[in-house]
Amino acid sequence: MPLLIAHQLPLLAPRVQRAWQWRPSLSVESLAVIAGFFFTLFCNGPFWAAYAQAFGGQSARGWLLGASLALLITCLHSLLLCLVLMRWNAKWVLTVLLGVTAFAVYYMDAYVVFIDPDMVRNVLHTERKEALELLTPGLWPAMLLYALVPAVLLWRVRIPRLTLGRAAMRRVAMVAALLAVTVCVGLLSFQDLSALMRSNKSLRYLVTPGNVVTSLARVVDGAASDAALPRQRIAEDAVAAALPGTRPTLLVIIVGETVRAQNWGLSGYARDTTPQLSRLGVINFADVTACGSSTEVSLPCLFSARGRRDYDEDAIRRSESLLHVLQRAGIQTAWRDNQTGCKGVCEGLPFQSFRDAATPEWCHGGLCFDEVLLEGLQEHIDAVPGSQVVVLHPLGNHGPSYASRYPEAFRRFRPTCDTPQLGDCSEEEIVNAYDNAVLYADHVVAQTIRFLQRQQGRDTALIYVSDHGESLGETGLFLHGVPYAIAPDVQIKVPMVAWLSPSLVAARGLSRSCLEQVARQPASHDNLFSSVLGLMQVDTEARDPALDVFSACTDAA
C-alpha cells in the first residue's frame, strides 16, 4: 500500500497544484449574498430548532413559512453586509464575522443561550479567567467548520477593481433587489410571520450573526450614552437618624452568585445544602423572585430604587444606587468583590477586588475561594467609625465550572461534573457539582455571621440574596441569561435570608415571629432598597414602607 501511494503522488501533485491555484473572481455584493446564505443555512441550527418547536409539525404551511424565513434572514444579513463591506475591508470584516459567528453558534448550541444585549454585555465584561473556562474542547470543531474553512476559501477569492461609478451602481442595484425581495416575502407571509414573532419574541435572539451585531450595537450605543450623562441623583433628602444612646450598625450584604432557590436546603430542597445556616437562626425567605436572569441585569436592578416593578434599564444604569444614598446619608459603604465587579452599583465608592489575590489558604490556579472576602475585613471595619454597610460579591456558583468553586472538603455529593463542557456530563454529575457549590456558599455565609457575632459595640445584621438562578439541563437549557419574559423559574427564583443580632432586634423593637410570618410571603429584589434603608434607619421619601420587610414587625408598627 505505501508503494502504491508513493506511485500515485506524482499524478496527484498537478491536481493539488491546480486546486490551490483556484481563485474565483467575485464582487463584494456576491460575497455579501453568499455569506448571507452561509449564515442562514449553516449557522442557525438553534433558530431552526426553536422555529420547528414553536410552529409545530412539518406541515406544508410550516415548510412555506420556513422557506420565507430563510429568504428573509438571508436578505437581511446580505443587506447589512452590503452597507459595511468595501473592496478593501470585505475579507477582513467577513473573517472576523465568521469567527464571532462560530463562537456564538457553539455556545448557543452547547448551552442553549440567547444572544441579546444583556448576554453580549455579560460577554464583554467576562474576565480572562472566566473566558478561559469557556474554551472547552468542543469549541474547536465549531471554529474549524464555521470559521477556519470558510475563511480559507474566502481569502482565495479575487475581488475585481471597479470604477467608483460602476461600483456605486452595482451596490445600489443589489441593495434595491434585496429590499424588493425582503418586502415581497414579508408581505406574502405577513400574517404567519407577525403571529410567530408576537408569540415568540425571543426567536430574534437566535438569528446568527444578526443577533450578535445588533445586540453589540445596542450595548455600545447605551454605554456611550451612559458615559455622556452624569448619574441622576436620587433620595437627596436621605438622612440617617442619629438617636441618642444608639450603637453603630454594621450590615453585611452578600450578593450570592448564580444560586437558585430550587437547590436551597432552607427552602425545602431534598438535600440539606444549608446545614450551617439552619443552625444559626436565620430568617429564610422562601419565595423570592430576581430582577433578571443575569448579573448584568440583576445587580444594578437589585440596588436600584426602581426595581422590576418599574423597570427601565437605561434609567437604572444612569441613576445612583442604594449605596450612593447610604453614603450621602453618612453611612460608609464598601464593596469587596471576587467576581466581575459591581456593574456600576458602587461607582465612585470604596471598592476592593480579590480576583487576583494571592492568599495561599484560599487562592490556587488563578482563582480564589470566596472565604477570601473575609480577609482583612476586621481591619477595614475597625478603621471606619460609625455605621457602615459592606457588600460581599462572591464567585458563588458561577458556571459552567461548578466543581472549581469549592474546596475539596465540600465535595460531599458525588460523582461530580469536573469539566466546563457540561454536555459531557450526566445530569446527576452536574447537579452534584452545583450542590457542592451551594454547600460551600452556605459555609461562607455562616462564617460571615460568626464574624458578625464577634463584633463588640455594634448592632450587626446580614442579608444574603442571590442575583439570579441557573439552569442545569432542564428542558435542554444550561447556565442563565434567558430573556426575562421566557426565563424558567430556576433562573429567576432565588434564595434570600436575613440574620439579625439580638442587640439589633432589641434596638429596633423587632418581632422575630412577625418576621418569620413575613418571610413566608412572596418577595423580590424590589424589597432590598427600602428594607436596607429602614434597617439602617435612613429617612427619605424614596423609601417605600410597603417594600420594607422589617417595617411591619417593629414596635411602632
Side-chain angles (χ1 to χ4, degrees), residues 62-232:
W63 282 108
L64 180 61
L65 179 59
S68 299
L69 273 171
L71 200 52
L72 276 175
I73 293 171
T74 300
C75 288
L76 290 173
H77 278 140
S78 301
L79 272 170
L80 181 64
L81 291 171
C82 280
L83 295 177
V84 298
L85 295 186
M86 301 296 172
R87 184 181 183 278
W88 61 272
N89 72 355
K91 292 183 179 180
W92 291 106
V93 171
L94 286 174
T95 300
V96 171
L97 197 56
L98 286 167
V100 170
T101 301
F103 272 100
V105 169
Y106 171 71
Y107 289 110
M108 289 169 65
D109 188 55
Y111 301 113
V112 195
V113 297
F114 292 73
I115 308 295
D116 61 358
D118 294 327
M119 182 59 69
V120 168
R121 198 177 287 111
N122 280 328
V123 172
L124 292 176
H125 291 168
T126 298
E127 292 188 343
R128 179 182 58 84
K129 296 172 185 177
E130 288 185 13
L132 290 175
E133 291 180 354
L134 294 171
L135 299 181
T136 58
L139 171 65
W140 308 122
M143 292 298 295
L144 176 66
L145 180 63
Y146 299 115
L148 184 59
V149 172
V152 170
L153 295 177
L154 169 66
W155 283 88
R156 299 301 298 163
V157 170
R158 289 180 295 185
I159 303 177
R161 293 181 179 274
L162 300 175
T163 63
L164 182 60
R166 188 177 177 188
M169 289 179 60
R170 179 173 290 188
R171 185 63 56 91
V172 169
M174 178 60 76
V175 169
L178 290 170
L179 283 172
V181 174
T182 301
V183 171
C184 290
V185 173
L187 290 175
L188 290 173
S189 305
F190 177 77
Q191 185 175 353
D192 286 340
L193 282 172
S194 60
L196 178 68
M197 290 304 160
R198 277 198 307 270
S199 57
N200 299 273
K201 294 181 180 180
S202 59
L203 275 178
R204 65 184 183 275
Y205 297 127
L206 295 175
V207 179
T208 312
N211 52 2
V212 178
V213 174
T214 56
S215 295
L216 180 61
R218 288 177 59 185
V219 169
V220 171
D221 179 65
S225 301
D226 292 347
L229 296 173
R231 281 190 177 270
Q232 181 182 354

Side-chain angles (χ1 to χ4, degrees), residues 387-405:
S387 296
Q388 53 186 300
V389 173
V390 177
V391 181
L392 306 182
H393 189 200
L395 185 59
N397 284 51
H398 196 284
S401 298
Y402 307 118
S404 65
R405 306 306 185 220

Side-chain angles (χ1 to χ4, degrees), residues 249-298:
T249 301
L250 168 62
L251 170 64
V252 174
I253 301 173
I254 301 181
V255 183
E257 174 65 37
T258 322
V259 181
R260 64 186 201 175
Q262 181 173 315
N263 294 56
W264 190 246
L266 288 172
S267 296
Y269 186 42
R271 284 176 169 173
D272 187 8
T273 53
T274 53
Q276 297 188 51
L277 288 177
S278 64
R279 297 192 295 269
L280 286 172
V282 299
I283 297 164
N284 182 65
F285 293 79
D287 184 7
V288 180
T289 303
C291 189
S293 61
S294 68
T295 306
E296 288 293 331
V297 173
S298 281

Side-chain angles (χ1 to χ4, degrees), residues 425-441:
C425 300
S426 67
E427 183 176 347
E428 178 192 10
E429 291 171 332
I430 296 171
V431 172
N432 285 344
Y434 184 87
D435 284 350
N436 288 332
V438 177
L439 195 68
Y440 182 58

Side-chain angles (χ1 to χ4, degrees), residues 4-26:
L4 179 61
I5 294 175
H7 179 71
Q8 294 293 327
L9 282 177
L11 300 176
L12 292 174
R15 299 178 187 177
V16 173
Q17 185 178 8
R18 284 196 299 271
W20 183 248
Q21 290 175 344
W22 172 82
R23 296 199 65 188
S25 179
L26 294 173

